[in-house]
Amino acid sequence: MTRSIYEQVLGAQFENLHPRIQERFGFSSKDHVASIGQGVMDRIWFAKWAALPLAVGASRHIMFPQGGRSIPFTIENYAYQDGHGRETVTWIRKFQFKRAVRHFDATMIYSTERERIVDYLGNKQHLAVDLDITAASNGGIRIRSGDQRFYEGLIQFTCPPQLTGTADVMEWYDEDMKKYRINVLVTNPVFGTVFHYEGSFEAQLIPLKHIPVDAMPLREEARE
């Protein structure tokens, strides 16, 4: 039986997650379900000095130079095997601002070579990011980014930390609210906070026959 990529990387730690977190992170392509959620981001903030690189990233669904409060939010997680036979999970995040829908998309795979989850940011998988994933003391899941690699045709290199952002993501289930809560903080070792959002959402598993075409990346990168 195929285990979810999060079960593979967490091992025995997976049992320390809250049951609702296990539900959201415990399905694989063999289960034919998707986790679909919607909620509100209480606050989205970005550093003004980072507006230009964030705008470039926005064209490929990697963060965006826009902020606000009480922003409607949706998240779609689909599990499938990609064209290279790797177990994959999508992260399709949409933020509904008054005049635009902003995207922050990614696809995660479990890399047997690296023995960790690799996160391909954006809709063209140009950035591959190593992830460190642990179970938090509150039953949530914590995801921290590590080395980042850029792939474009014959070009490939590891990105210097000074030119990138390190993400620290915390997702947990709030029993009082009966909702999932999320806090995402992206920082740069030189300039400090780059991007931040926090809020809450509800999510449920739904039966799935086919993954929507617009949830798939525009290209798949074989290099991990």
Side-chain angles (χ1 to χ4, degrees):
M1 183 176 181
T2 302
R3 294 189 300 164
S4 80
I5 61 174
Y6 307 101
E7 286 182 273
Q8 291 182 60
V9 76
L10 283 172
Q13 278 195 66
F14 191 80
E15 297 302 318
N16 296 333
L17 301 176
H18 186 283
R20 294 299 301 274
I21 295 294
Q22 289 188 36
E23 179 182 82
R24 257 188 50 73
F25 288 84
F27 64 93
S28 74
S29 60
K30 300 299 184 182
D31 295 307
H32 303 289
V33 296
S35 176
I36 306 298
Q38 60 182 358
V40 174
M41 290 300 105
D42 300 323
R43 180 174 182 256
I44 302 175
W45 181 92
F46 74 98
K48 299 300 187 290
W49 59 264
L52 181 57
L54 287 176
V56 173
S59 67
R60 298 189 176 189
H61 293 187
I62 307 174
M63 296 187 288
F64 44 84
Q66 193 164 352
R69 293 184 179 273
S70 300
I71 307 299
F73 164 84
T74 61
I75 183 165
E76 303 170 32
N77 299 108
Y78 303 99
Y80 66 97
Q81 289 196 356
D82 71 5
H84 304 289
R86 303 173 302 191
E87 188 72 16
T88 306
V89 176
T90 68
W91 287 79
I92 310 299
R93 291 160 284 208
K94 299 177 184 177
F95 304 83
Q96 180 68 65
F97 290 91
K98 289 184 178 180
R99 297 184 180 180
V101 177
R102 295 291 196 174
H103 298 253
F104 185 9
D105 299 341
T107 42
M108 297 185 185
I109 60 109
Y110 179 76
S111 171
T112 54
E113 177 183 346
R114 296 181 179 276
E115 298 184 329
R116 64 177 62 244
I117 287 177
V118 172
D119 188 13
Y120 291 106
L121 299 182
N123 57 6
K124 294 185 178 180
Q125 296 194 342
H126 289 112
L127 281 175
V129 183
D130 291 340
L131 298 182
D132 178 33
I133 300 181
T134 56
S137 59
N138 65 353
I141 190 167
R142 187 177 186 186
I143 303 173
R144 287 172 286 186
S145 66
D147 289 345
Q148 300 183 23
R149 297 168 295 282
F150 180 85
Y151 299 129
E152 175 65 64
L154 296 177
I155 301 173
Q156 63 178 63
F157 58 86
T158 298
C159 305
Q162 295 83 357
L163 300 179
T164 64
T166 299
D168 193 339
V169 179
M170 183 70 162
E171 182 179 320
W172 69 102
Y173 190 75
D174 189 314
E175 285 286 359
D176 294 329
M177 296 178 66
K178 300 301 180 186
K179 292 182 180 181
Y180 295 93
R181 297 185 67 181
I182 183 81
N183 188 301
V184 176
L185 179 66
V186 180
T187 59
N188 175 274
V190 177
F191 300 104
T193 302
V194 179
F195 190 74
H196 175 231
Y197 66 84
E198 58 184 333
S200 61
F201 63 95
E202 297 176 283
Q204 60 181 340
L205 295 184
I206 64 169
L208 182 69
K209 291 184 177 180
H210 303 287
I211 297 175
V213 174
D214 62 359
M216 305 289 283
L218 299 178
R219 63 181 286 272
E220 291 181 344
E221 176 58 60
R223 293 165 289 188
E224 300 173 3

